[in-house]
Amino acid sequence: MESRAAVDDAALGREAWAVLDANWTGSATVPAPGLYPHQWNWDSTFVAIGLARWDTRRAGTELISLLAGQWGTGMVPHIVFHPVHAEGYFPGPSVWRSRDHPASPHAVCTSGLTQPPLHALALWWIWRHAADRDTAVALVRRLYPMLVAQHDYLATSRDLGGGGLAAIVHPWESGMDDSPAWDASLEALPPVRHAYRRSEEPADRRPDSRHDRYMALALGYRDSGYDPAYLRDEHPFAVEDPMFNGIWLASCQALTELAPVAGADAGPYREAVERIRSALLERLWDDGVFRARDLREGRLSPVCTIGCFGPMLDQGMPGERVAELVRVLESARFMGAAGYPVPSCEIRAQQFDRSCYWRGPSWVNANWLLRRAAAVHDLPALARVLGAGTLRLVRQAGFRECFDPFDGSGRGSRDFSWSAALTLDLLA
Ligand code: 9WN
């Protein structure tokens, strides 16, 4: 495998800062040079989390610049385009045409989709760990209303199943694009007529029609005028993802603690926490894990992926459910048979592919989320294994986008921002 001379903590920290500085545009951090030249939604929340203990102001700026892309509907877009390199990524602004929509912001171009709502948890993390308390409190007061709008949007326009969960309407919204959790839903789509291609496909992305289907979904939604009624009644992809909803629940818990700081009532978020937890247990729990529910086909995903553990982020998840999840996580299906934490897909699954993005490799952000889940459930040994294993990955292979779960070699982009930022948090 690719390996570097042993790097001590101080040197690793300096390398992480160098990556973050190189990827900094002046107001935001792009995920990686080259392939991702814009601001991505959940990437920025992870960057803010990583910066939280070290630079309150810059962590805040990261969230502020992302929320500058928020639509009047409350939706926080999955990409906020950099004005200079606007078409340096496909699909760019000319595909999304955000400016044609009356609710989009005027100052920036954005995509029309969202990503996991980690923002309130990231704001809570900044507030909880800030060295600069005054800046953190001012930030909470400034951003709180925007997060209320975001959560209202999810609870109204995205409860497509009517059961209290938010549905994703595109695999890109999960942040785990090519996860096998969406395979059956994508295969069930009507035949695709558009034949868009990325200008530069990374060599290890699968050469099949998945990207055409991604484009057809995005264009169908765009052509409806980003209409919530179209999403509810016609859009062919609607999935209740356990990771997206587990993150949403954790963000609602964060809002209950941030509400008093912002002078707001925490009551609605206490209720939201209960509602989402019940819905997760009733709608997605099956055979020892949480599974993605395809609302159009009316079935749960047969494949067990890293997303199945998302609801462990809930501090109030019943203990016996947490114990069952941990059993699966530590078994040979995931951590037990891998050299490094945590494969993004169950190893024994037919779809498992150790070299292909969300179909097998280990990701720093997923490890960080599971480590957080272990911490909230008072599982220090698991938290330690996740933290140490993640640091071993970046120490050996650098701040790569993802890693081979067996030998730890790096995959995808180099100098990847969330891998660097979350390393700073893990080193603290
Ligand atoms: C589409 C930016 C994003 C991450 C996702 C990751 C990948 C984009 C892509 O890169 O998705 O949004 O081009 O495949 O899967 O998690 O936010 O880093």
Side-chain angles (χ1 to χ4, degrees):
M1 66 161 279
E2 172 189 5
S3 125
R4 310 182 305 157
V7 191
D8 67 21
D9 285 0
L12 190 64
R14 280 195 300 276
E15 289 182 7
W17 277 111
V19 166
L20 292 174
D21 287 343
N23 292 346
W24 176 246
T25 65
S27 59
T29 310
V30 301
L35 186 59
Y36 305 116
H38 307 288
Q39 185 174 25
W40 254 262
N41 181 324
W42 80 331
D43 300 65
S44 276
T45 57
F46 289 117
V47 168
I49 286 170
L51 292 171
R53 299 173 197 264
W54 310 98
D55 189 338
T56 315
R57 205 167 285 279
R58 182 157 152 189
T61 303
E62 189 75 41
L63 292 183
I64 290 167
S65 58
L66 176 67
L67 287 163
Q70 184 173 31
W71 288 30
T73 55
M75 197 272 299
V76 182
H78 98 293
I79 307 174
V80 176
F81 288 101
H82 189 287
V84 177
H85 314 289
E87 296 295 339
Y89 172 84
F90 185 86
S94 60
V95 174
W96 296 104
R97 299 185 198 151
S98 63
R99 285 217 171 111
D100 292 353
H101 193 282
S104 79
H106 297 302
V108 282
C109 289
T110 78
S111 75
L113 300 170
T114 191
Q115 258 189 337
L118 194 66
H119 313 75
L121 182 61
L123 182 61
W124 180 86
W125 199 260
I126 297 172
W127 173 75
R128 169 83 179 70
H129 297 292
D132 177 352
R133 298 298 306 162
D134 292 346
T135 299
V137 168
L139 187 69
V140 171
R141 296 195 174 131
R142 175 170 176 180
L143 299 191
Y144 191 87
M146 300 180 198
L147 300 181
V148 169
Q150 177 197 25
H151 284 243
D152 286 351
Y153 167 78
L154 294 173
T156 53
S157 301
R158 288 308 187 88
D159 185 3
L160 303 179
L165 297 179
I168 56 167
V169 299
H170 196 293
W172 286 333
E173 294 203 309
S174 70
M176 303 185 176
D177 315 18
D178 63 347
S179 168
W182 334 122
D183 284 2
S185 312
L186 289 171
E187 274 154 27
L189 292 179
V192 170
R193 283 196 300 271
H194 309 277
Y196 279 92
R197 286 262 163 244
R198 257 174 223 271
S199 46
E200 277 183 273
E201 284 283 332
D204 50 359
R205 208 182 278 270
R206 301 195 140 208
D208 60 18
S209 69
R210 190 178 296 127
H211 199 258
D212 291 327
R213 287 168 193 252
Y214 290 166
M215 288 310 301
L217 285 172
L219 296 177
Y221 184 29
R222 178 201 71 186
D223 292 344
S224 79
Y226 298 111
D227 179 8
Y230 163 83
L231 283 188
R232 196 186 53 233
D233 302 331
E234 292 174 60
H235 189 65
F237 185 100
V239 175
E240 292 173 346
D241 169 34
M243 180 59 86
F244 191 101
N245 282 283
I247 287 175
W248 186 27
L249 194 165
S251 271
C252 289
Q253 278 163 341
L255 288 179
T256 65
E257 291 191 38
L258 294 176
V261 184
D265 176 16
Y269 295 106
R270 281 200 207 98
E271 284 163 27
V273 164
E274 299 299 323
R275 192 185 61 238
I276 299 168
R277 179 182 304 135
S278 307
L280 281 166
L281 289 165
E282 272 165 32
R283 297 172 69 78
L284 306 190
W285 180 261
D286 178 54
D287 196 18
V289 289
F290 291 92
R291 293 173 189 273
R293 175 178 289 279
D294 181 328
L295 292 172
R296 298 306 183 222
E297 299 291 309
R299 62 179 176 218
L300 293 173
S301 164
V303 197
C304 192
T305 68
I306 192 87
C308 296
F309 303 101
M312 262 177 73
L313 288 164
D314 172 15
Q315 292 162 15
M317 181 58 55
E320 66 276 19
R321 291 286 179 259
V322 174
E324 285 177 84
L325 288 166
V326 170
R327 240 191 326 275
V328 176
L329 184 64
E330 293 183 333
S331 75
R333 293 167 67 182
F334 282 91
M335 290 167 74
Y340 295 82
V342 172
S344 44
C345 176
E346 172 169 21
I347 293 168
R348 69 179 190 184
Q350 203 195 336
Q351 299 87 339
F352 175 81
D353 179 343
R354 65 191 279 183
S355 64
C356 189
Y357 290 91
W358 293 100
R359 304 180 77 83
S362 305
W363 292 73
V364 170
N365 67 331
N367 289 350
W368 187 91
L369 288 169
L370 291 180
R371 180 173 174 268
R372 167 78 189 148
V376 304
H377 294 292
D378 200 18
L379 300 165
L382 176 59
R384 246 191 327 273
V385 171
L386 290 165
T390 308
L391 285 176
R392 204 153 62 89
L393 282 171
V394 295
R395 237 188 265 286
Q396 291 172 344
F399 303 110
R400 297 295 296 264
E401 188 171 6
C402 52
F403 304 84
D404 183 299
F406 297 120
D407 67 17
S409 55
R411 300 272 173 193
S413 291
R414 291 171 194 276
D415 298 334
F416 199 68
S417 292
W418 80 41
S419 301
L422 294 173
T423 293
L424 291 179
D425 186 70
L426 294 175
L427 287 173

